[in-house]
Amino acid sequence: MSESTLSTSARPAPFTVGPRARRLVILVGLALIWESYARWLGNSLLLPSFLETLVALWENLRNGELPERVRASLGILLTGYGIGIGLAAIITALAALSRWGESLLGLLTAMFNPLPAIALLPVALLWFGVGASSLVFVIVHSVLWPLALACHAGFRAVPPTLRMAGRNIGLTGPSYVVGLLIPAALPSILSGLRLGWAFAWRTLIAAEMVFGASAREGGLGWFIFVNRSQLETANVFAGLLTVILIGLAVESLVFATLNRLTVQRWGQEA
Amino acid sequence: MGRLPPQNQPAAGDGPPPLAVEHVTLRYQTDAGTVTAVEDVSFTIDAGERLALLGPSGCGKSTLLRAVAGFLKTSSGEIRLHGAPVRAPGPDRMVVFQEFDQLLPWRTVAGNIAFALRRARGLGRAESFERARDWAGRVGLGGFADAYPHTLSGGMKQRCAIARAFAVQPAILLMDEPFAALDALSRRRMQDELLALCEETGATCLFVTHAIDEALHVGTRVLVMTPHPGRIGAEYAVPDAARQRGTPDFGRLEMEIQQRIFGAALPEAKTAASLPARTDAHHRVEVTHNV
């Protein structure tokens, strides 16, 4: 937005392009590089060309294989993400309201945040067996700690005057958290949600590849894994492309919109 | 427009005063040990009175205001609001802070005022917004009722905070150097407008300031605090005749308070009357601290 106002106020330059156009040009450039390198390599077992990948993507979309895999993955992802957000909300609310809660959060995040979710897979398998529950468990782990940390940092950064103004008009306990702390910390919370989403996605794909082999309802990771073992490299790339496209869509549709409607409008953007 | 509900403004001489500060001492811990910010301070404010608490930075006047607001516990002594001891913050003592970030950034001007009305007065959405718009207009923000705080100037933010405090119709308004971060011209104008609002609504006020002229202009009574630890040094009643800048009564009282604060009149004190008192006071306070 600021860019467009800048370019209209400045004298019109002959080759000014907006940020969208710039991104599109870069994407097309990357696709061209990919295509030409793959053609030069001439080995579609190692690296299928961009067009071959698109064809494989289209095939798998049409025969219902990919949509089914995406549905399975997204179902597990959203479940884990939702539970992770809920737990993060509870633990940061505790931390905001009491010193014990704050120490608990500090200690737990210090202990578990550096622990890779994949390292918990063996434990998850022991506890929940092979299946969706184990995947949800590791996703919750990968979302919970970074999100709780971001929320807590956001709460702590709320200016003391604003806190006092909130308590002055009678906000206490839950109404203080919901009516003051959460909106005031929203920039940090949003970036925590973004981070959590990316972590959850990565963890899911990786986890599916590790033990998707015996899961009947495999997701995208399973799709990539199976196609690699069958040397269907174009399908592998189609799977990877799907992961990227979903990530881009969520980023630009969900998070960018949330950002524009809230922190940007309120002048709170960090 | 809603008037104050009866319990918030009893007639003068009827029951306990809106605010009674009784032998209050405030201490806090630092790494260096215990610091006494305020020691054995007592005063009362009657209904409709505007008490200006005047003193240099560090004299404990803001700390005292925060204790009255309920953000700090007294180490000894009692603060009573209409006779009931103060235990926690509440909308019966609306505070206007010095800092500009006292408004909720995610609510518009009207939204900020309306939210306070909903929380503090339990009003419905429609009614709170109607009153909020009315109050925004009364502080000159009629055209900015739907603007978010980050689009406003510092003076406009303070106007909004003042409107929010008045709209709630508290038992007492607490003002913590609300104009200290404004430029000199805006400050003068806001002082006049605040005075007009106070006189119109008959609001009871505790106004903390470090500027003598501001204390005289806004307050009906001035308490001078001395630092280390904060104590009440002197008390002055400000007659209506002495409220206007440039009048002989104003000048006389200003000079008297200056001499009280800075001890035996310095030779410059004679010329100081014609100078802006604020810069003069700032300068001198620093000097005395350094000595």
Side-chain angles (χ1 to χ4, degrees), chain A residues 83-259:
Chain A
I83 296 174
I85 291 173
L87 290 177
I90 292 171
I91 200 169
T92 39
L94 282 179
L97 293 176
S98 87
R99 276 163 212 258
W100 278 95
E102 193 169 353
S103 300
L104 178 74
L105 174 86
L107 199 62
L108 287 180
T109 46
M111 277 160 58
F112 292 123
N113 203 25
L115 191 64
I118 289 298
L120 280 181
L121 255 185
V123 181
L125 286 171
L126 271 178
W127 288 351
F128 303 105
V130 175
S133 326
S134 290
L135 289 172
V136 168
F137 176 76
V138 292
I139 290 172
V140 167
H141 168 82
S142 67
V143 173
L144 174 56
W145 310 116
L147 181 58
L149 213 55
C151 293
H152 188 55
F155 287 172
R156 286 174 60 115
V158 176
T161 313
L162 193 57
R163 290 168 181 274
M164 286 195 279
R167 291 173 60 202
N168 190 212
I169 59 173
L171 298 176
T172 49
S175 72
Y176 178 67
V177 174
V178 174
L180 190 106
L181 284 184
I182 290 178
L186 206 62
S188 304
I189 295 173
L190 273 183
S191 69
L193 284 174
R194 271 179 161 153
L195 199 67
W197 176 259
F199 281 5
W201 222 179
R202 285 186 215 181
T203 303
L204 175 69
I205 301 294
E208 280 179 350
M209 293 176 84
V210 171
F211 70 11
S214 47
R216 296 182 67 84
E217 280 227 337
L220 263 175
W222 172 235
F223 175 84
I224 293 169
F225 183 79
V226 166
N227 280 296
R228 188 209 64 90
S229 56
Q230 292 169 354
L231 293 181
E232 294 282 356
T233 316
N235 284 353
V236 172
F237 275 78
L240 292 174
L241 204 59
T242 311
V243 174
I244 292 173
L245 287 177
I246 292 173
L248 276 180
V250 169
E251 169 63 36
S252 60
L253 293 181
V254 180
F255 288 119
T257 311
L258 268 180
N259 211 48

